[in-house]
Amino acid sequence: MALKLALSGPLPKGVKKALLEAVITALNATAQNLPNGTINLKLVDDSEIRALNKKYSGNDYATDVLSFNYLEDGAEPGGEIGDMAISRETAERQAAKAGTDLETEIVLLFIHGCLHLIGLDHADSSGRRRMEIIQAGLMHDLGLTYRNFEWDSSAA
């Protein structure tokens, strides 16, 4: 057993589930000591992610991706690792700003959230650098262009 993906709700037009599953496959093949279990992904609008961000992080604004790691709370590995929410609307704006397509942006945000769920963070410069190397490598392996990530160390 290894990481698995469970989608809640539909993906936006042009975003293929197979590409998100390829992220999971790549993580399973390359990362060491991964927990076993499912990552639940839901694409939401800015209103929903803002409400989640306010409720769980105290930040009253829409963000691009939130991940909720159940293993940090002492849950037993083998079930659900955590939940992830990605804002479609924020992803669309960021894709336009970066000059890329929505699918590429959602894959990048999914990778970023997965890294948080397997225990990585960007609270300091070494964590940011490690996450950036992994994110860029996975995007390259998937044949996608990596954009420079706008790091927010307060959101680690």
Side-chain angles (χ1 to χ4, degrees):
M1 193 161 138
L3 293 177
K4 293 186 288 185
L5 169 65
L7 285 174
S8 176
L11 291 172
K13 184 177 180 180
V15 178
K16 295 178 259 347
K17 181 180 179 184
L19 199 49
L20 298 173
E21 289 173 335
V23 170
I24 297 292
T25 300
L27 286 170
N28 284 329
T30 60
Q32 298 176 345
N33 302 318
L34 287 178
N36 292 319
T38 301
I39 293 172
N40 302 304
L41 172 64
K42 182 177 183 184
L43 274 81
V44 299
D45 61 20
D46 277 350
S47 174
E48 187 171 350
I49 208 159
R50 180 179 183 164
L52 290 168
N53 201 18
K54 185 174 182 179
K55 180 176 181 178
Y56 294 104
S57 300
N59 299 314
D60 190 12
Y61 56 85
T63 189
D64 49 10
V65 59
L66 291 172
S67 55
F68 303 94
N69 188 332
Y70 300 151
L71 300 180
E72 287 178 349
D73 296 330
E76 290 294 318
E80 292 184 339
I81 292 171
D83 290 333
M84 186 185 318
I86 295 175
S87 171
R88 278 182 321 276
E89 294 168 338
T90 299
E92 287 170 356
R93 286 191 304 275
Q94 289 177 176
K97 181 179 175 184
T100 190
D101 59 67
L102 180 60
E103 182 175 56
T104 299
E105 184 67 15
I106 287 176
V107 170
L108 174 58
L109 296 174
F110 181 63
I111 291 169
H112 186 81
C114 285
L115 296 180
H116 279 299
L117 291 175
I118 65 173
L120 301 178
D121 68 50
H122 44 84
D124 59 34
S125 61
S126 65
R128 283 189 295 277
R129 183 70 184 134
R130 182 172 183 210
M131 286 183 75
E132 186 159 341
I133 288 168
I134 295 168
Q135 289 173 168
L138 287 171
M139 293 290 284
H140 178 268
D141 291 348
L142 294 169
L144 300 172
T145 301
Y146 178 72
R147 69 161 173 85
N148 289 329
F149 210 79
E150 295 178 16
W151 296 101
D152 178 2
S153 59
S154 68

